[in-house]
Amino acid sequence: PCWQVEDFVVAQECTRCSSFQAKTVAACSLTGFIEKISCATSKKDELKSCRSAVMEAHVFWRFVSTMMCVAAIFGVLVVCRQRVLDRKAQEKVRKQIESI
């Protein structure tokens, strides 16, 4: 590809591939997004795979929210387990006091 060996200008910003493009354009198979570039020396127009900033942000926030939910679930489990252990300890102390 000319964009690996020459200077280029982005002719069309990074956009999502259509269903037709996804089947026919090889660059779409990597990320699902392409941008149209114009090579300076050879004057060729080519399609290049790219990463969408909006999609990256969406994936990042989905990951963060999933991790927050998992942390909240495990936090609740820790609190519940601590209460069970506290009750067992109180019961043990109560039995020791009754036996005296």
Side-chain angles (χ1 to χ4, degrees), residues 17-29 34 47:
C17 297
S18 66
S19 59
F20 177 73
Q21 285 175 324
K23 295 174 186 171
T24 58
V25 178
C28 283
S29 62
I34 56 171
L47 296 174

Side-chain angles (χ1 to χ4, degrees), residues 11 13 19 21 23 52-53 60 76 79 84:
E13 291 296 321
S19 59
Q21 285 175 324
K23 295 174 186 171
S52 169
F60 171 76
V76 169
V79 169
V84 167

Side-chain angles (χ1 to χ4, degrees), residues 68-80:
M68 293 294 284
C69 290
V70 169
I73 289 169
F74 281 108
V76 169
L77 287 175
V78 165
V79 169
C80 291

